[in-house]
C-alpha cells in the first residue's frame, strides 16, 4: 500500500473506529465480541482499500462487512451459550441511586437484553434502521436483500422486542 493510501486509511479508521464499535456492540451485545467484529470489518476494508474508487461508499462497505460478520459469528455453535461476568446487584444497593439515572440504565440494559433475544438477521435490520438511521433501501443494500425483506424483518424484529420487553416499543425515532 502506498504511503498516501496508508494515511487515508489511518484517517478513516481514526474517524470511524468508535461508531463502528458501537454498532457492532448493538449487533452482538458484548464489547469484546464487538471489538472482534469491528476489527474484522476494518481488516477487510484495509485489504481492499486501494481498489475502492468511490470513497463515499466506504461507510456502506464497512457496515455491510460488519453486519455479515455478526450474522456469521452468531451461527457458530459456541456462540449459542451465554455467560456473564456481571453479578446482579442486590436491590438494597440500587435504592440509593437517583431514580432518573436508575431508570435510564434500566431501560438501556433492558433494551440490550431484549436485542439478545432477537434473531441475528432481524437484530441487524433493527440496529441499521433505528440506531444507524438507515432507510429501508439503505438497509436492503447493506444486507443484500429486497426492501420487502427488510420491512418484514423489521416487523418481526419489533414484534419479538415487544414480546420480550412486554410493552410497546416506540419506533418513531
Amino acid at each position: 500500500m502506498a504511503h498516501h493510501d496508508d494515511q487515508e486509511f489511518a484517517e478513516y479508521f481514526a474517524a470511524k473506529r468508535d461508531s463502528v464499535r458501537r454498532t457492532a456492540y448493538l449487533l452482538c451485545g458484548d464489547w469484546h465480541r464487538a471489538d472482534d467484529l469491528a476489527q474484522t470489518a476494518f481488516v477487510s476494508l484495509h485489504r481492499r482499500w486501494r481498489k475502492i474508487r468511490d470513497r463515499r461508499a466506504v461507510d456502506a462497505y464497512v457496515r455491510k462487512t460488519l453486519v455479515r460478520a455478526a450474522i456469521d459469528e452468531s451461527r457458530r455453535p459456541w456462540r449459542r451459550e451465554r455467560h456473564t461476568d456481571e453479578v446482579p446487584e442486590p436491590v438494597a444497593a440500587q435504592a440509593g441511586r437517583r431514580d432518573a439515572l436508575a431508570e435510564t440504565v434500566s431501560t438501556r440494559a433492558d433494551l440490550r437484553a431484549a436485542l439478545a433475544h432477537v434473531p441475528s438477521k432481524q437484530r441487524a435490520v433493527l440496529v441499521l434502521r433505528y440506531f444507524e438511521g438507515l432507510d429501508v433501501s439503505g438497509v436492503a443494500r447493506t444486507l443484500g436483500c429486497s426492501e420487502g425483506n427488510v420491512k418484514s424483518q423489521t416487523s418481526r424484529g419489533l414484534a419479538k422486542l415487544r414480546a420480550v420487553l412486554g410493552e410497546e416499543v416506540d419506533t418513531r425515532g
Side-chain angles (χ1 to χ4, degrees):
M1 207 182 256
H3 176 69
H4 178 66
D5 287 336
D6 283 339
Q7 183 66 28
E8 276 187 337
F9 179 81
E11 289 171 5
Y12 180 83
F13 175 77
K16 297 295 183 170
R17 173 184 51 218
D18 292 337
S19 66
V20 169
R21 185 174 179 252
R22 277 191 303 273
T23 300
Y25 176 75
L26 290 170
L27 290 168
C28 70
D30 178 89
W31 283 112
H32 298 291
R33 284 180 51 209
D35 288 335
D36 292 344
L37 292 171
Q39 180 179 347
T40 298
F42 282 119
V43 166
S44 178
L45 175 64
H46 188 264
R47 282 190 200 128
R48 290 171 178 76
W49 187 257
R50 288 185 340 161
K51 296 177 183 177
I52 298 174
R53 293 177 192 191
D54 183 5
R55 295 292 189 210
R56 294 173 298 181
V58 173
D59 288 346
Y61 178 84
V62 170
R63 205 177 294 119
K64 181 180 255 184
T65 304
L66 185 66
V67 169
R68 286 182 175 173
I71 291 170
D72 289 348
E73 185 70 15
S74 72
R75 292 177 178 154
R76 296 201 168 102
W78 60 85
R79 291 293 182 206
R80 293 186 192 125
E81 297 179 8
R82 299 279 183 223
H83 298 283
T84 183
D85 293 331
E86 300 175 70
V87 177
E89 285 186 36
V91 175
Q94 293 176 358
R97 294 183 183 171
R98 293 187 343 223
D99 290 340
L101 177 60
E103 179 63 27
T104 300
V105 171
S106 173
T107 302
R108 187 177 308 142
D110 291 344
L111 179 59
R112 281 195 321 255
L115 277 172
H117 290 88
V118 176
S120 59
K121 191 135 187 183
Q122 292 171 13
R123 182 171 53 242
V125 169
L126 294 177
V127 168
L128 291 172
R129 287 283 322 266
Y130 298 107
F131 294 98
E132 284 291 307
L134 295 180
D135 61 6
V136 172
S137 62
V139 174
R141 280 191 306 276
T142 299
L143 296 177
C145 63
S146 70
E147 291 183 17
N149 189 309
V150 170
K151 292 175 184 177
S152 66
Q153 293 292 326
T154 301
S155 176
R156 290 181 189 127
L158 290 173
K160 181 68 174 178
L161 273 179
R162 287 181 187 107
V164 171
L165 291 171
E167 58 189 54
E168 191 65 24
V169 177
D170 183 10
T171 59
R172 292 171 293 203

